[in-house]
Amino acid sequence: MIKAPNIILVGPMGAGKTTIGRLISQSMGKAFYDLDKVIEDNAGADIPWIFEREGEDGFRRRETQALAAIAQSDTGDCVLATGGGIVMREENRDILRDNALVVYLYASVAQQLYRTSKSTHRPLLQTGDPKATLKKLFEVRDPLYREVATLIIETDARHPRSVANKVLDAIKRHLKMESTVS
Ligand SMILES: Nc1ncnc2c1ncn2[C@@H]1O[C@H](COP(=O)(O)OP(=O)(O)OP(=O)(O)O)[C@@H](O)[C@H]1O
Ligand SMILES: O=C(O)C1=C[C@@H](O)[C@@H](O)[C@H](O)C1
Ligand SMILES: [Mg+2]
């Protein structure tokens, strides 16, 4: 097993945070959490229901609570996949930077659109023009993902297993480099 701090995956909808997070948690022998799922379990309701009843603000409050509870209480033995909007609050960006090795899974807008097209579980994409929405979100969020990221991994045109291996290699290299400078 690789020794490492908590690994937190960030990136846009469809980048593969849930898919890749699960794969790397298995390889690292760490527990896996999906923040969207944790929020749903805590609320006893799904994300579309939370957006409908409490608005995006209500969802964001729940998201910050869930992030803080996991990132600040867990002792380096989990992989956490976040939702695409986790970087919108400054408070969240501080928690991410201070408590984890953060991996930004990069995907182009075209890939985001393709990978999210089969699901209706993302309320922000239930619009007439999901491509324009993804583009607008990406313009705002890409610099914020970069701001919190320890590592940036490109996911376009790569099979999930190959992305997971790339993430694992990058984490190993990073931790090795850190141990030689400290
Ligand atoms: N590298 C990849 N190549 C091809 N398909 C992928 C890849 N990564 C993920 N997928 C597929 O894309 C879809 C979305 O992936 P996933 O749910 O893991 O994204 P996410 O980043 O967790 O999105 P969200 O922010 O909405 O939770 C899934 O159907 C998944 O199988
Ligand atoms: O990009 C976003 O803002 C979101 C992404 C999803 O993972 C969910 O967290 C929710 O649908 C909001
Ligand atoms: Mg996800």
Side-chain angles (χ1 to χ4, degrees):
M1 195 201 320
I2 306 162
K3 272 201 174 173
N6 288 327
I7 309 296
I8 302 189
L9 303 182
V10 301
M13 289 180 267
K17 302 176 296 295
T18 301
T19 310
I20 307 304
R22 188 169 287 119
L23 288 172
I24 69 169
S25 71
Q26 287 160 0
S27 300
M28 298 180 90
K30 286 175 179 273
F32 174 69
Y33 300 106
D34 185 296
L35 203 61
D36 284 339
K37 171 84 169 52
V38 172
I39 295 164
E40 292 186 325
D41 289 348
N42 290 346
D46 67 10
I47 290 177
W49 187 96
I50 299 170
F51 267 72
E52 204 180 299
R53 297 293 176 98
E54 302 178 0
E56 185 171 347
D57 274 358
F59 175 78
R60 296 293 169 212
R61 271 193 298 279
R62 290 180 178 275
E63 189 177 43
T64 297
Q65 270 170 14
L67 173 69
I70 294 176
Q72 292 172 340
S73 76
D74 213 286
T75 49
D77 49 14
C78 80
V79 174
L80 173 66
T82 58
I86 196 73
V87 290
M88 294 311 291
R89 285 186 159 192
E90 188 176 0
E91 193 181 348
N92 294 356
R93 299 200 294 278
D94 289 341
I95 295 172
L96 290 168
R97 267 194 305 260
D98 293 349
N99 293 281
L101 193 162
V102 180
V103 180
Y104 171 18
L105 293 183
Y106 173 91
S108 64
V109 171
Q111 280 291 323
Q112 294 169 37
L113 185 67
Y114 175 72
R115 293 184 192 157
T116 54
S117 59
K118 285 164 217 129
S119 163
T120 54
H121 257 71
R122 297 171 174 97
L124 295 178
L125 297 185
Q126 302 311 302
T127 67
D129 192 349
K131 185 178 181 188
T133 305
L134 285 169
K135 188 166 180 284
K136 216 159 77 190
L137 291 175
F138 191 63
E139 277 162 14
V140 173
R141 294 175 177 181
D142 175 67
L144 302 176
Y145 296 134
R146 290 174 189 278
E147 187 190 310
V148 298
T150 317
L151 301 167
I152 300 174
I153 303 292
E154 156 78 51
T155 73
D156 277 8
R158 284 176 182 277
H159 187 272
R161 184 72 255 175
S162 140
V163 175
N165 287 340
K166 217 172 150 202
V167 172
L168 288 165
D169 283 352
I171 291 172
K172 274 187 215 160
R173 270 200 310 277
H174 176 81
L175 293 174
K176 205 165 158 195
M177 201 175 70
E178 265 201 335
S179 73
T180 56
V181 290
S182 62

